[in-house]
Every structure is written in structure tokens, then in C-alpha cells.
Amino acid sequence: MKRTIIASLFLIIGCKEEKKEALVTQPKPEVKENVVQETTPQINESEEAKKWLEKSIEDYFKSDLGNLDKNMQKITTKDYYDYKGDAMGVDMDVDGSLTEQEFKDKWKGKFDIKKAGIGVGFLIAGQDWSKIEVTKCQLISENENSYLFDVVLTDKDPKAVYPIKVKVIKENGSFLIADVLQDVPEFN
């Protein structure tokens, strides 16, 4: 009698486990569907970043002079915006400006301070321009969400050429300029 009861319990437990296995096997086709959906071709992010950079630079220089600072904030990271603001104001007689040494001490760990473009504007060394165009924008390197471009900006009226390196990152689904490497210009 005891053997019959024990055998019955094993049979009942065995039947319950088969039902669980049946439930577990049903979601598998759904997973396969998700995998198929994820294998669709992905957009080339570096090409997307390049197009964004070219358009953002040209739009920036086409904007009204009174809106340049606000437009710079829109296309740069907060750290880079603060960094470049400090670089443009080094040794100026205005509140909040830093000496060159203070600037170096503040930013040396985050940015290449030798390429900050101290005392010159955002993206170009000139103060006046007629029509800035991106004549070169070539991807140099890329990491996860970071792209480094070799960029040449030209202004045909004063015949000026501004070679720079621009680091673009993708943050919260949108691209932003995270660094611009500018040499200190030499004027003849």
C-alpha cells in the first residue's frame, strides 16, 4: 500500500513538471522573433555623426551674432563649453577670467590644454568671417560613442583656412562636440 501511494506521488509530481516544461518551451518562438528583428542593418553612426557635425558647424556660423553663445551651448557638452569659455577669456580683464596658469591647473586632467585655442574663438581663430564652410570632415578614429574628425573650415572672403580636430560624442541619443583641438594661430 505504501508503495502504491509513493508511486502515485511520483506520478503526480512528474505530471506537474511536464506542464512546467511545456510552459517554459512556449516563449522560445518569441525570443527567436526578437532576434530576427534585431538583425536589421544598423545605421552607420560615424556617418551620422559626420553629417551632424558638418551641419552644426555651418548652422553655427550662419546664426545671428547675438545667439552664438547660446548656439555653442546647444552643440557642445557642458564640460567643453565651460572649458572653451575659460580658454577664450584667459588673461582678459573681465570678472571670472583666469590666468594662463590657473587655466592649465583647472583643466589639465580633462583636456589637452596645449590645443585649447587660448585667446581665440570657438572652432576658428578669426574674429570676423563672411561665410564659413566645412571643406573637409574626415573620420580619424572612433570608439563606442566617440568619434574624432579631421576638419578644415574655410572662409573665402578673407581667404582663411582653419584646420582643427573635433571630438563628437553621442550622449542621450544626440551628438555633441566634446572637444576641439586648435593650435594657437601664428599671424604674419
Side-chain angles (χ1 to χ4, degrees):
M1 182 82 154
K2 287 182 182 180
R3 288 183 186 172
T4 309
I5 294 174
I6 293 173
S8 298
L9 287 174
F10 281 125
L11 186 61
I12 293 171
I13 292 171
C15 290
K16 286 184 180 180
E17 287 180 14
E18 284 181 32
K19 288 180 184 177
K20 286 181 184 176
E21 286 178 20
L23 293 174
V24 172
T25 58
Q26 287 176 350
K28 286 184 182 177
E30 292 175 25
V31 173
K32 288 181 182 177
E33 282 183 33
N34 290 341
V35 172
V36 171
Q37 290 174 352
E38 291 177 16
T39 59
T40 57
Q42 293 182 350
I43 298 170
N44 185 345
E45 292 232 346
S46 62
E47 189 61 32
E48 195 177 315
K50 176 184 174 180
K51 288 177 184 176
W52 174 86
L53 181 60
E54 290 172 334
K55 183 178 182 341
S56 295
I57 289 172
E58 290 184 1
D59 288 351
Y60 171 80
F61 286 105
K62 288 177 186 174
S63 68
D64 185 43
L65 291 176
N67 293 328
L68 287 178
D69 186 61
K70 184 173 72 174
N71 291 338
M72 180 182 164
Q73 272 185 300
K74 288 180 184 178
I75 63 172
T76 60
T77 63
K78 179 173 178 6
D79 277 350
Y80 179 75
Y81 175 79
D82 293 341
Y83 165 72
K84 186 58 185 177
D86 285 348
M88 289 188 290
V90 166
D91 290 331
M92 296 185 95
D93 286 332
V94 293
D95 288 342
S97 70
L98 304 172
T99 65
E100 191 166 347
Q101 188 58 48
E102 290 171 329
F103 174 79
K104 288 177 181 178
D105 291 343
K106 180 177 179 180
W107 294 106
K108 67 182 171 193
K110 285 190 172 186
F111 294 95
D112 181 357
I113 56 176
K114 293 177 186 172
K115 302 284 186 175
I118 292 176
V120 298
F122 174 56
L123 300 171
I124 64 170
Q127 292 182 1
D128 297 320
W129 64 86
S130 60
K131 184 180 178 190
I132 299 290
E133 293 179 344
V134 178
T135 52
K136 178 182 179 184
C137 187
Q138 184 177 13
L139 181 67
I140 298 172
S141 67
E142 71 179 281
N143 298 326
E144 289 182 28
N145 286 325
S146 176
Y147 310 92
L148 184 64
F149 292 95
D150 184 16
V151 178
V152 175
L153 305 176
T154 57
D155 192 359
K156 294 181 181 180
D157 191 20
K159 295 183 181 178
V161 177
Y162 306 102
I164 55 176
K165 306 261 185 295
V166 182
K167 179 181 177 183
V168 174
I169 63 166
K170 189 163 190 178
E171 189 174 85
N172 298 326
S174 58
F175 295 107
L176 294 170
I177 295 173
D179 198 4
V180 177
L181 303 175
Q182 292 175 285
D183 289 315
V184 177
E186 294 180 20
F187 298 104
N188 296 335

